[in-house]
Amino acid sequence: MKNNQSNNFFEKAINRRSFLEGTTKIAGATLGLSLVNSLTGLNVEAESKYSGHHGKPNLVFPVISDIHVVDHNDKNLEKFVSTMEQLNQVAPKQDAFVVVGDLTEYGLSLEYDKFMTAYNAKKKSRAVSLLAIGNHEYYNGLSIADSQKRFLENTGMESIYYHRTIQGYHFIVLGCEDGADDETFSVKQIEWLGKQLKQAKADDSKKPIFVFHHYPITGTIYGSQWGFAKNRDLFYDTLKEYPQVIAFSGHTHYPLDNPRIIHQKDFTSIGTSTGAYMWLDDGRIQGEVPEDADILNQALIVEVYNNKVMVKRRDIHNNDWTGEPFEISYPAQKKTFKYTEDRDKKAPFFTKDSMLSIVHENTTATALTIMFTQAKDTLLVHDYKVVARNADTGEAAKQFLAFSEFYKDPVPNPLSLSIDGLKPNTTYEIEVHALDAYDHVSANSLKVLGKTLSEEVKEEILT
């Protein structure tokens, strides 16, 4: 993704000299780095681009969600076409194609026409279509029954929830039963799910079982706070008995780059991102929907082998992979799950040559801009905690969380952040800590002093 901030200099990695040339320090006031302990021996496992080969898979299928084709423009439709074309290039042999809900923005007939025309034109002929109904398919003013009827007539699915067997593997597709914000799955549908799981296990207990549902299960993956509440425990407990389940969900629009997009405890849950626009955690200065959020377009490609499932994360917008694929071993055993909530035990850290400085040209009477080297982590640096303290009183004048902007391509390093709401002609000590995706806080921090400009005197014209 492209960074749209005013100074493109900050968008790319730069060396120490250019870093210093692009910043300035108040004479005698820079504190530099504060390294609490030596971290030179810490092993950093950077997620690299996927390039491995694992032989010929038994089964291949893409998974996408939240396309949101709209009737009044074709922007999302064009992204959908690009998605189909790119997936066909990187996975030319597909046994199925899955869309986990929100095919359309409002469930309008014209939106279905656009979606299905593009889909049928690009879909691989041998791929079995597995399309799920999402909450947006109900936003058309029709009754629930008529919205479901429209979905079925346009997509050709036999029901809003159904069970298919493809190449000897079981696919269970669930459906949103209304368009309510607090979406629920009825007891009837969940009981049906339990019967299908029992059947799939009886068929072959060693194989994975693939389950697809639009809303995530609260308390599982990254972004699952947007999941459903009613019947949540019944739903979870139904899946809990089957560690071989891999459950894919949509709805959140949260990016695949975050390691918490996969969750393992009693079974495996995976988020599917979006083909429309990105959504993120609240409480950060960039906002839940940051600028250029509509650039995001991601997809999954699932490859099934005899003893494992590989889930590969694709940046359609960047025409590349993001991170290593998730590798799930079979036969599935809970004790061997590796994508658990406690898998990242080490806090992020700033290296010895990390730098923090004030961007002189952006300093005003009420704001300072900082630029600093991104921290390191075993998986992902997610946030920075920034505190601006009055250098004279020690009082915290401003503090906030900011994304590391991990969702951009490339991730900006150094990262620049603006600190506003400050007093004129005042010196502040700025301190930055790093946080990873699991909320571990760096033991060391970066510090610098910065001084705001004197308040401008406005001329008064007397008449």
Side-chain angles (χ1 to χ4, degrees):
M1 278 172 274
K2 301 296 184 183
N3 188 336
N4 64 350
Q5 294 185 16
S6 59
N7 195 338
N8 291 330
F9 175 72
F10 302 142
E11 301 310 308
K12 53 189 178 181
I14 56 177
N15 60 28
R16 181 182 179 90
R17 175 175 294 179
S18 57
F19 182 102
L20 293 175
E21 289 174 349
T23 65
T24 186
K25 299 185 291 289
I26 297 175
T30 301
L31 299 181
L33 304 180
S34 174
L35 293 177
V36 176
N37 50 21
S38 176
L39 297 168
T40 55
L42 189 59
N43 181 29
V44 180
E45 301 169 3
E47 287 195 319
S48 62
K49 297 298 183 183
Y50 174 64
S51 60
H53 298 281
H54 304 271
K56 184 179 179 181
N58 301 329
L59 184 76
V60 177
F61 59 94
V63 184
I64 64 175
S65 73
D66 296 86
I67 310 305
H68 294 279
V69 171
V70 298
D71 65 330
H72 55 275
N73 70 64
D74 290 337
K75 185 173 184 178
N76 288 351
L77 178 65
E78 291 168 358
K79 292 174 68 175
F80 175 53
V81 171
S82 297
T83 297
M84 297 288 291
E85 291 175 346
Q86 192 174 135
L87 291 175
N88 289 343
Q89 291 175 356
V90 296
K93 295 182 179 180
Q94 301 170 15
D95 299 284
F97 197 101
V98 187
V99 185
V100 196
D102 284 0
L103 291 62
T104 66
E105 182 69 11
Y106 300 110
L108 303 177
S109 295
L110 179 58
E111 294 172 346
Y112 278 117
D113 289 344
K114 287 183 175 184
F115 179 92
M116 294 307 301
T117 298
Y119 178 73
N120 290 328
K122 298 296 180 180
K123 185 186 79 71
K124 293 290 185 178
S125 59
R126 62 172 287 179
V128 178
S129 297
L130 301 172
L131 310 180
I133 187 170
N135 60 304
H136 274 258
E137 271 68 67
Y138 291 92
Y139 293 173
N140 46 32
L142 300 176
S143 66
I144 290 175
D146 285 342
S147 292
Q148 293 175 357
K149 180 181 179 182
R150 177 178 286 178
F151 170 82
L152 298 177
E153 289 176 347
N154 281 276
T155 62
M157 301 298 103
E158 67 267 28
S159 174
I160 66 166
Y161 51 93
Y162 51 94
H163 181 178
R164 302 268 187 90
T165 303
I166 303 172
Q167 301 285 77
Y169 293 88
H170 289 266
F171 291 73
I172 302 172
V173 180
L174 305 177
C176 292
E177 298 183 58
D178 57 50
D181 291 334
D182 185 16
E183 166 63 25
T184 62
F185 294 95
S186 66
V187 173
K188 178 182 178 182
Q189 185 174 179
I190 297 172
E191 289 178 344
W192 175 88
L193 168 63
K195 293 177 182 177
Q196 310 313 304
L197 292 170
K198 184 176 181 180
Q199 176 187 331
K201 180 180 179 181
D203 187 24
D204 191 332
S205 62
K206 295 182 179 180
K207 285 184 177 180
I209 303 172
F210 302 106
V211 179
F212 307 91
H213 49 96
H214 183 62
Y215 278 77
I217 306 171
T218 305
T220 56
I221 61 168
Y222 178 51
S224 62
Q225 68 270 25
W226 297 105
F228 57 97
K230 187 177 180 181
N231 295 334
R232 182 269 179 198
D233 291 345
L234 176 62
F235 190 101
Y236 186 94
D237 291 344
T238 300
L239 295 175
K240 184 178 180 179
E241 303 303 316
Y242 301 91
Q244 64 266 53
V245 161
I246 303 179
F248 296 87
S249 62
H251 185 63
T252 68
H253 294 222
Y254 276 42
L256 300 176
D257 312 77
N258 190 301
R260 290 173 52 216
I261 205 69
I262 184 172
H263 175 276
Q264 288 184 311
K265 184 178 180 181
D266 297 300
F267 52 91
T268 303
S269 298
I270 302 177
T272 55
S273 190
T274 179
Y277 60 90
M278 174 175 53
W279 199 276
L280 290 165
D281 323 50
D282 62 2
R284 279 72 173 177
I285 62 171
Q286 291 94 337
E288 292 175 280
V289 183
E291 292 183 271
D292 285 346
D294 61 347
I295 292 177
L296 188 77
N297 187 6
Q298 295 182 315
L300 298 174
I301 295 178
V302 182
E303 297 177 349
V304 185
Y305 301 85
N306 289 333
N307 62 347
K308 62 186 173 183
V309 173
M310 305 291 291
V311 182
K312 299 156 63 175
R313 295 171 282 172
R314 187 75 183 177
D315 271 344
I316 303 299
H317 60 275
N318 200 37
N319 194 22
D320 203 353
W321 307 107
T322 178
E324 295 287 348
F326 301 127
E327 183 172 338
I328 306 164
S329 300
Y330 282 86
Q333 299 180 41
K334 296 180 184 180
K335 64 181 179 180
T336 61
F337 283 167
K338 62 181 180 179
Y339 302 107
T340 57
E341 295 175 350
D342 62 349
R343 63 183 167 122
D344 185 1
K345 300 181 184 298
K346 295 179 180 178
F349 65 96
F350 292 100
T351 60
K352 287 185 175 180
D353 58 352
S354 295
M355 292 169 285
L356 168 65
S357 192
I358 302 295
V359 182
H360 174 71
E361 58 267 30
N362 292 348
T363 299
T364 69
T366 58
L368 296 169
T369 296
I370 57 174
M371 184 170 71
F372 58 93
T373 310
Q374 293 253 22
K376 303 290 186 181
D377 187 69
T378 53
L379 290 176
L380 177 79
V381 177
H382 190 271
D383 300 308
Y384 291 99
K385 180 182 178 181
V386 179
V387 181
R389 296 183 180 88
N390 187 303
D392 294 326
T393 66
E395 179 183 2
K398 187 73 177 286
Q399 55 184 338
F400 57 83
L401 285 177
F403 288 118
S404 65
E405 301 185 357
F406 64 90
Y407 44 83
K408 291 184 176 179
D409 297 307
V411 177
N413 191 22
L415 178 66
S416 63
L417 299 171
S418 178
I419 308 170
D420 55 16
L422 304 177
K423 294 180 179 180
N425 195 32
T426 304
T427 301
Y428 292 92
E429 178 190 83
I430 313 298
E431 183 174 18
V432 179
H433 281 90
L435 291 79
D436 65 16
Y438 293 86
D439 294 327
H440 298 125
V441 182
S442 62
N444 61 340
S445 64
L446 303 180
K447 292 182 181 180
V448 70
L449 290 181
K451 186 176 182 180
T452 54
L453 300 179
S454 299
E455 191 167 16
E456 296 180 359
V457 179
K458 296 181 180 181
E459 295 183 2
E460 295 185 3
I461 302 177
L462 300 178
T463 60

